[in-house]
Amino acid sequence: MSYQPIWDGRSGYGGRRGHPVRKLLLILLALGMILFGVLEIYIAVHDGTNLVGRPQTMVIFGCQVKPWGPSILLQDRLDTALAYLEDHPDMKIIVAGGKGDDEHISEAQCMYDYLTEHGVDGESIYMEDRSRNTWQNVNYTMDLMAGEGWNLTDDVVLVSSGFHLARIEMLWDRARIARLSDEVYNDQYISTLAAPVSHKPSAVQMFFREPLALVKSFIFDR
């Protein structure tokens, strides 16, 4: 008579227990999915325009430059900034973004050209054109502000794609804590302008990419 393995419904064939490594992997997978969900909620909470205080300075964060001009994501950010500037024409503007290996000019220069072509006074625009990532965007922007003699406690409005704002706010807070004393740290109001994401493939890509970038920045960008 041949042996027929019996499935007991709990521990597999022949009453054998499931492999502990497999159980551990399933637990880690479940924890990873929970963490991913929490991060997506955190990003969604910050994915919106929030105007507080009286911003004197606008900071526009860069994105990829194409051979013909700003990418769709970057143009979304610039158009959002232009709409706000129509009612606040006297603001100081910082365009932040260096030149990537696949870009023919810096993101800051591209943004400067686009804004001036759409009627913004070039004298009000300052270029931070050295940065290669968001952490450098933030720090080099603050260096520029300090170099110009601006008060780092002045209210600012930060402009980027909605999915990007959670990370920007986290890093902006981290950088200003390092620069300001406890007495003046809370004197600055941080506003945000959330640009739409017109390019749907980018929206899908960033849905998966941004939580990982947020974790990376939280751990390493210091």
Side-chain angles (χ1 to χ4, degrees):
M1 180 182 296
S2 61
Y3 170 74
Q4 296 294 329
I6 300 174
W7 175 262
D8 66 5
R10 294 176 299 172
S11 57
Y13 288 108
R16 296 178 181 175
R17 296 181 178 275
H19 199 288
V21 174
R22 183 182 303 170
K23 288 186 176 181
L24 177 61
L25 291 176
L26 289 173
I27 292 171
L28 291 176
L29 178 61
L31 291 175
M33 293 177 66
I34 292 171
L35 176 60
F36 184 84
V38 170
L39 292 171
E40 288 291 0
I41 292 172
Y42 180 80
I43 291 168
V45 167
H46 291 79
D47 183 354
T49 293
N50 180 37
L51 298 173
V52 293
R54 296 184 178 180
Q56 296 90 24
T57 303
M58 170 184 283
V59 183
I60 310 173
F61 287 78
C63 194
Q64 186 179 25
V65 173
K66 298 291 188 179
W68 54 86
S71 61
I72 296 175
L73 284 183
L74 184 53
Q75 186 172 335
D76 285 339
R77 299 178 188 185
L78 292 168
D79 289 342
T80 299
L82 286 169
Y84 184 84
L85 290 170
E86 287 181 4
D87 296 325
H88 306 83
D90 298 327
M91 296 194 72
K92 297 174 289 190
I93 304 163
I94 299 175
V95 287
K99 179 181 176 297
D101 295 335
D102 59 347
E103 296 172 324
H104 65 290
I105 59 174
S106 70
E107 294 167 8
Q109 184 64 60
C110 180
M111 289 188 280
Y112 177 94
D113 294 343
Y114 188 90
L115 293 173
T116 54
E117 288 168 4
H118 287 77
V120 178
D121 182 4
E123 293 295 321
S124 66
I125 304 175
Y126 298 77
M127 291 194 293
E128 181 290 291
D129 58 3
R130 298 184 296 145
S131 57
R132 301 292 294 268
N133 56 51
T134 302
W135 181 230
Q136 291 180 356
N137 283 157
V138 168
N139 279 278
Y140 293 163
T141 292
M142 289 190 179
D143 289 345
L144 187 156
M145 294 170 69
E148 292 291 335
W150 302 352
N151 190 340
L152 290 179
T153 62
D154 286 350
D155 297 349
V156 298
V157 56
L158 311 176
V159 185
S160 192
S161 305
F163 63 79
H164 195 202
L165 291 174
R167 187 152 51 103
I168 288 173
E169 289 186 77
M170 178 186 71
L171 295 178
W172 190 274
D173 256 353
R174 184 175 291 174
R176 70 183 179 131
I177 286 173
R179 287 170 166 78
L180 300 176
S181 65
D182 293 338
E183 290 77 14
V184 299
Y185 167 69
N186 290 319
D187 289 345
Q188 185 186 48
Y189 284 101
I190 309 298
S191 296
T192 56
L193 282 178
V197 182
S198 299
H199 190 243
K200 298 310 177 186
S202 294
V204 174
Q205 178 185 3
M206 293 304 168
F207 178 84
F208 294 100
R209 178 185 180 276
E210 191 59 26
L212 301 178
L214 187 61
V215 172
K216 176 263 178 188
S217 287
F218 180 78
I219 296 173
F220 296 107
D221 290 340
R222 300 180 181 277

